[in-house]
Amino acid sequence: AFAVSRTGGVGADAVRRIGEALAGALCEVAPPAFPKPAGERVGAILNAAGARRREEVLGALASEDEGFAAEVRRAIFTFAHVPARLKATDVPRVLRVVETRAIAAALLHAEAQGGAEAEAGAFVLGSVSQRMAESLREEMREMGPLRKGEGEAAQAALVAAIRDRVEAGEVQLNEVEE
């Protein structure tokens, strides 16, 4: 109240400038600390995790915040997602930057896992020339059984190559449907 009593001689121009400065400061939006949304960041972390750990984390997250868990699920991209997210015509472009042994190991592991991973492996083989597919099958036969970690690492390398091609603008991923 005392401070108000001392404003009697303040001019309208000064009040306008003070108001503009306060409004400007209040309307200023601080840049975000992270360039990507939280769901994408957690999805990127879970992309590197094994399937069992990924499902454990997603289950726990869903029990806490179902909306955020759904956002994270949309951001996750694993080998099993390849048929739904990558166009068949883009597969050869991606495989060019991955070592043949890693491709064969990823496909061999997918075959051993069955289910969605086996479907992804079949999609990859069906998206390349017959000659290349036969070459990959021959490499798979020569490899014999793989350790689970080796197969998962090979699949992660293939997914990383896909992401690199997406970031380079060479391929586009299909959007995830709700």
Side-chain angles (χ1 to χ4, degrees), residues 37-44 46-47 54-55 58 61 65-78 81 85 163 173-178:
E40 283 185 36
R41 295 192 320 269
V42 173
L46 292 179
N47 280 334
R54 185 172 35 254
E55 289 308 316
L58 284 169
L61 189 56
D65 185 344
E66 186 60 46
F68 184 63
E71 187 180 326
V72 171
R73 280 190 191 280
R74 281 190 299 276
I76 290 175
F77 178 62
T78 65
H81 297 119
R85 304 284 312 275
R163 288 191 174 281
L173 292 178
N174 299 323
E175 290 299 315
V176 178
E177 292 182 21
E178 293 294 325

Side-chain angles (χ1 to χ4, degrees), residues 19-172:
E20 287 174 356
L22 287 173
L26 289 173
C27 294
E28 198 173 285
V29 177
F34 302 100
K36 293 188 178 186
E40 283 185 36
R41 295 192 320 269
V42 173
I45 292 167
L46 292 179
N47 280 334
R52 194 175 111 250
R53 178 71 51 168
R54 185 172 35 254
E55 289 308 316
E56 286 173 1
V57 171
L58 284 169
L61 189 56
S63 70
E64 293 292 323
D65 185 344
E66 186 60 46
F68 184 63
E71 187 180 326
V72 171
R73 280 190 191 280
R74 281 190 299 276
I76 290 175
F77 178 62
T78 65
F79 187 78
H81 297 119
V82 168
R85 304 284 312 275
L86 188 65
K87 294 179 185 109
T89 55
D90 288 335
V91 171
R93 189 172 299 142
V94 170
L95 296 186
R96 272 188 234 126
V97 298
V98 181
E99 291 182 28
T100 303
R101 179 164 172 72
I103 299 166
L107 296 173
L108 186 60
H109 181 68
E111 196 175 83
Q113 295 302 301
E117 287 193 26
E119 290 175 21
F123 172 79
V124 169
L125 284 171
S127 300
V128 296
S129 69
Q130 287 182 342
R131 187 171 143 237
M132 183 172 186
E134 189 51 45
S135 173
L136 288 169
R137 285 186 187 99
E138 180 64 32
E139 181 82 21
M140 291 165 62
R141 283 190 290 273
E142 290 174 8
M143 289 181 133
L146 294 174
R147 290 189 325 255
K148 186 175 182 177
E150 188 179 356
E152 287 179 352
Q155 287 181 346
L158 194 56
V159 169
I162 293 169
R163 288 191 174 281
D164 289 345
R165 299 299 93 208
V166 168
E167 287 180 23
E170 292 180 21
V171 300
Q172 271 190 316

